Amino acid sequence: AQSVTQLDSQVPVFEEAPVELRCNYSSSVSVYLFWYVQYPNQGLQLLLKYLSGSTLVESINGFEAEFNKSQTSFHLRKPSVHISDTAEYFCAVSPTSGTYKYIFGTGTRLKVLA
Amino acid sequence: DAGVIQSPRHEVTEMGQEVTLRCKPISGHNSLFWYRQTMMRGLELLIYFNNNVPIDDSGMPEDRFSAKMPNASFSTLKIQPSEPRDSAVYFCASRWTGVNTGELFFGEGSRLTVL
C-alpha cells in the first residue's frame, strides 16, 4: 500500500520569497512521484513528475522538486514566488507496475502575500 | 481534445434524494478515477477502473455509493440516498496506462450540496 503525507496544510509566504512544500511518502513498491496544482474552482493539473534518472525535476514556471529515496521525500521548492502561485498543491504517488492506483496527499495551501 | 467532462458542475439536492454524477474521460484513455474532495479529508480516492472494469472500490464510503463504467467513454457515480455529509466536490480523472507514467487529467469537478 502507498500513502502520502503533506505535513503543512497552509503555507503563507511573501512575494519574491523562497518556499518549500514538504512531501513524504510510504510505499512497499517502487513509485512514480508527482506534484499537482489546483487553482480555485478548478481541477488538478500536473506541475511536475519524477519517473527515473536525475533526482531533480523542474516545471516550466520555476518550481522544482527533488526525489530523495533514503528519506522517502519529494519536496517542492521555488526560489521566488509570485502572487499567481497562490493555489493548493498536492503530492501524489503511483506504483511503477501492477496496479495503476494514484494516491494523493491532503494538500498544502500556498498563499502568497503582497 | 475537450478534456475530461463532468456534469453537472453544481448540484443542490435534498437529503434522501438520488444523485447521479457523470463523467466523460479523454478519448483513448483507459483508466478512470473518481475522487471526492472536502476540507476535512482532502482528496479521497473512491474508485478506479481499468478498461471499464472496477479495480479498487475500497474508498467507496458505503453502500449508498455506486459507480459504473458501461463503456470506455462514460462513467457514473451514484449516491442513493444522499445525506448532508456527502456534500463535497467530486472529481473524475482519466489517464492512459499504456505507459504507466501517465499524467492524470482531471475534470473541473461536480460540486454537490445536500441540504
Side-chain angles (χ1 to χ4, degrees), chain A residues 32 36 38 95 100-102, chain B residues 35 37 50 56 95 100 104:
Chain A
Y32 297 125
Y36 282 75
Q38 183 182 30
Y100 300 101
K101 207 165 186 175
Y102 227 101
Chain B
Y35 290 90
Q37 186 177 33
N50 270 1
D56 185 345
R95 69 187 288 197
N100 190 24
L104 203 53

Side-chain angles (χ1 to χ4, degrees), chain B:
Chain B
D1 201 313
V4 176
I5 299 173
Q6 291 187 247
S7 64
R9 289 293 314 278
H10 301 273
E11 172 108 5
V12 180
T13 191
E14 301 269 333
M15 177 176 161
Q17 296 297 306
E18 178 180 292
V19 173
T20 299
L21 307 179
R22 297 173 177 80
C23 175
K24 178 178 168 55
I26 291 174
S27 177
H29 283 189
N30 63 340
S31 189
L32 184 141
F33 297 72
W34 282 101
Y35 290 90
R36 176 171 70 176
Q37 186 177 33
T38 61
M39 290 290 291
M40 293 298 294
R41 293 188 298 270
L43 199 62
E44 303 172 275
L45 175 62
L46 300 177
I47 186 172
Y48 74 100
F49 297 82
N50 270 1
N51 297 316
N52 313 337
V53 176
I55 302 299
D56 185 345
D57 65 354
S58 59
M60 295 285 263
E62 48 198 92
D63 291 346
R64 298 184 297 106
F65 285 69
S66 63
K68 293 182 179 179
M69 193 164 186
N71 57 61
S73 59
F74 184 66
S75 178
T76 59
L77 178 68
K78 187 173 292 187
I79 309 172
Q80 166 64 16
S82 57
E83 296 182 3
R85 59 190 168 125
D86 301 330
S87 297
V89 181
Y90 291 81
F91 286 102
C92 176
S94 71
R95 69 187 288 197
W96 177 59
T97 60
V99 178
N100 190 24
T101 59
E103 174 182 351
L104 203 53
F105 291 82
F106 281 78
E108 294 193 321
S110 294
R111 183 177 296 275
L112 173 65
T113 303
V114 183
L115 304 174

Side-chain angles (χ1 to χ4, degrees), chain A residues 17-30:
Chain A
V19 70
E20 178 180 82
L21 307 182
R22 295 179 293 169
C23 171
N24 287 88
Y25 70 94
S26 172
S27 177
S28 56
V29 299
S30 295

Side-chain angles (χ1 to χ4, degrees), chain A residues 6-27:
Chain A
Q6 293 181 248
L7 290 172
D8 306 305
S9 59
Q10 293 189 69
V11 174
V13 62
F14 284 103
E15 194 173 18
E16 297 184 6
V19 70
E20 178 180 82
L21 307 182
R22 295 179 293 169
C23 171
N24 287 88
Y25 70 94
S26 172
S27 177

